[in-house]
Amino acid sequence: MEPLNMRKFVLFLSVAAIPVVASASDFTVPAIVEPAQAAPETNSAIPPADITASTDPAPTDSDGRTALPNHPPPALTVLSPNTPLTPRERRATSIAQGWRSLQASPAPGTDGSVNFTFGASIPAVVCSPLYVCSISLQPGEVVNDIKAGDSVRWLISPSIVGTGANQQTIVTVKPTDAGLRTNLVIATTRRLYEIELVSNSTTYTDDVTFTYPEDAQTAWQRYRAEQQQQEQTVAATTLATGQNLTALDFNFALSGGQPAWRPLRVYSDGIKTYIQFPRSMLSGDAPALVTLGNDGGLFSGPTKQIVNYRVEGDTYVVDRVLSRAALISGVGGNQDEVQITHQGGHS
């Protein structure tokens, strides 16, 4: 090939190697298609949260990571499911429910209080926010413990009125909101109170008092015990004749022999003298009763005078108070004598 033609060929190749810039009208750029987002995995055991659809992009932090949501998680069930009750347990709850359903009506008490009969039913105390209710216990009753079903929204505290035997405990109750319902248990030195507490925004009970039926029963028991004691005392201090021993004068002294008929006791009621013998005398010889004068000396005895008396069972009854007397049975050397001397005063 000639040198000129060779130079033309090399120039052609150089031009062909130069890249050609195409204009935008010569071709179409395909659109960028983002890959579809995969559906979030769900757990069939946990219900999906109720998320409101939004076109706003998810918020991110300074590092570009997705920020946590600022709303609380969905509500969860906090109570465990009930377990089946046995027949005995159902019977027990039925009895308790029957007791709670009793509706014994209160009665007006003193000073405008609402009076419940203790033990007739569960008292219902209605309180109101910004007001204080009071529960008056029995005078002399001391609180050992107080428990409330809701101790957060119910403010409960004790106070004391009076001193000594008249000291009385008052339990004050104040709810923090209306529409509340719970129970209150008060353990005292005498009994156990179970009270239902209810809060209402418009009405309340100022003071609650109690009537105790067992007090009346205790009073009757004490009355019967006192009567029995009195009867026993009267029986112990009353003779078969109906005389009260406490009103009799037993200040008589016995001296002399010791015959089988020797008196058991001699006493006076201030009008008559009574000489009581052993029961065995009723089947033997009864002694004679004589009064003794204040005379006599070393060689002579006191003057003896027959006195009238009557026999009532095992007792001689003389219609006068004897000062000195003698009981004599037998004659001569076989004579038995027991002297009776009134020493004055009452025993």
Side-chain angles (χ1 to χ4, degrees), residues 109-118 123 125 132-143 146 156-162 166-173 184 186 188 190-191 193 195 197 205-212 215:
T110 58
D111 300 329
S113 66
V114 179
N115 186 268
F116 288 92
T117 300
F118 182 84
V125 179
V132 175
C133 295
S134 62
I135 302 174
S136 300
L137 305 184
Q138 191 176 33
E141 195 170 17
V142 178
V143 174
I146 296 178
I156 302 169
S157 60
S159 58
I160 296 177
V161 176
N166 296 325
Q167 182 172 297
Q168 185 177 18
T169 300
I170 310 296
V171 178
T172 59
V173 181
L184 175 67
I186 305 174
T188 73
R190 298 179 181 176
R191 55 184 61 88
Y193 294 83
I195 301 172
L197 298 180
T205 53
D206 298 276
D207 184 29
V208 171
T209 58
F210 293 91
T211 298
Y212 304 95
D215 286 355

Side-chain angles (χ1 to χ4, degrees), residues 247-267:
L248 301 178
D249 177 12
F250 288 87
N251 205 9
F252 289 85
L254 299 176
S255 61
Q258 297 290 331
W261 47 260
R262 184 182 176 89
L264 297 176
R265 61 181 62 89
V266 179
Y267 57 91

Side-chain angles (χ1 to χ4, degrees), residues 40-331:
E41 295 183 359
T42 58
N43 189 340
S44 59
I46 302 176
D50 183 13
I51 302 176
T52 304
S54 175
T55 58
D56 297 334
T60 58
D61 56 17
S62 59
D63 297 332
R65 295 173 297 184
T66 302
L68 296 176
N70 58 1
H71 56 77
L76 299 177
T77 302
V78 296
L79 296 178
S80 301
N82 291 325
T83 58
L85 298 179
T86 64
R88 183 176 61 176
E89 293 166 344
R90 287 196 298 271
R91 173 60 177 165
T93 56
S94 176
I95 294 175
Q97 179 62 34
W99 164 245
R100 290 193 298 269
S101 63
L102 294 178
Q103 299 293 327
S105 297
T110 58
D111 300 329
S113 66
V114 179
N115 186 268
F116 288 92
T117 300
F118 182 84
S121 64
I122 297 180
V125 179
V126 181
C127 301
S128 184
L130 304 180
Y131 291 90
V132 175
C133 295
S134 62
I135 302 174
S136 300
L137 305 184
Q138 191 176 33
E141 195 170 17
V142 178
V143 174
N144 290 331
D145 196 10
I146 296 178
K147 298 293 184 183
D150 183 356
S151 59
V152 175
R153 297 179 295 180
W154 291 84
L155 306 179
I156 302 169
S157 60
S159 58
I160 296 177
V161 176
T163 59
N166 296 325
Q167 182 172 297
Q168 185 177 18
T169 300
I170 310 296
V171 178
T172 59
V173 181
K174 179 181 178 182
T176 60
D177 197 1
L180 304 179
R181 185 181 295 270
T182 188
N183 69 322
L184 175 67
V185 176
I186 305 174
T188 73
T189 53
R190 298 179 181 176
R191 55 184 61 88
L192 182 69
Y193 294 83
E194 184 177 357
I195 301 172
E196 182 180 6
L197 298 180
V198 180
S199 64
N200 189 279
S201 61
T202 59
T203 185
Y204 62 97
T205 53
D206 298 276
D207 184 29
V208 171
T209 58
F210 293 91
T211 298
Y212 304 95
E214 68 271 18
D215 286 355
Q217 183 178 2
T218 301
W220 279 109
Q221 291 175 349
R222 183 168 56 252
Y223 168 78
R224 287 193 291 267
E226 292 175 353
Q227 292 299 313
Q228 292 176 356
Q229 180 66 30
Q230 183 176 357
E231 291 174 0
Q232 292 173 358
T233 301
V234 171
T237 59
T238 302
L239 299 176
T241 58
Q243 296 168 312
N244 191 332
L245 296 177
T246 59
L248 301 178
D249 177 12
F250 288 87
N251 205 9
F252 289 85
L254 299 176
S255 61
Q258 297 290 331
W261 47 260
R262 184 182 176 89
L264 297 176
R265 61 181 62 89
V266 179
Y267 57 91
S268 171
D269 59 3
I271 299 175
K272 301 176 183 179
T273 301
Y274 302 86
I275 306 172
Q276 185 179 4
F277 296 92
R279 299 290 294 179
S280 59
M281 190 206 69
L282 298 177
S283 59
D285 294 334
L289 176 63
V290 296
T291 59
L292 301 177
N294 293 323
D295 54 355
L298 295 177
F299 303 102
S300 62
T303 302
K304 299 178 179 178
Q305 184 178 357
I306 298 295
V307 63
N308 293 327
Y309 62 89
R310 62 184 180 275
V311 179
E312 295 182 359
D314 58 358
T315 302
Y316 285 2
V317 179
V318 184
D319 292 330
R320 55 181 286 193
V321 178
L322 298 176
S323 177
R324 294 183 66 196
L327 294 165
I328 303 172
S329 68
V331 293

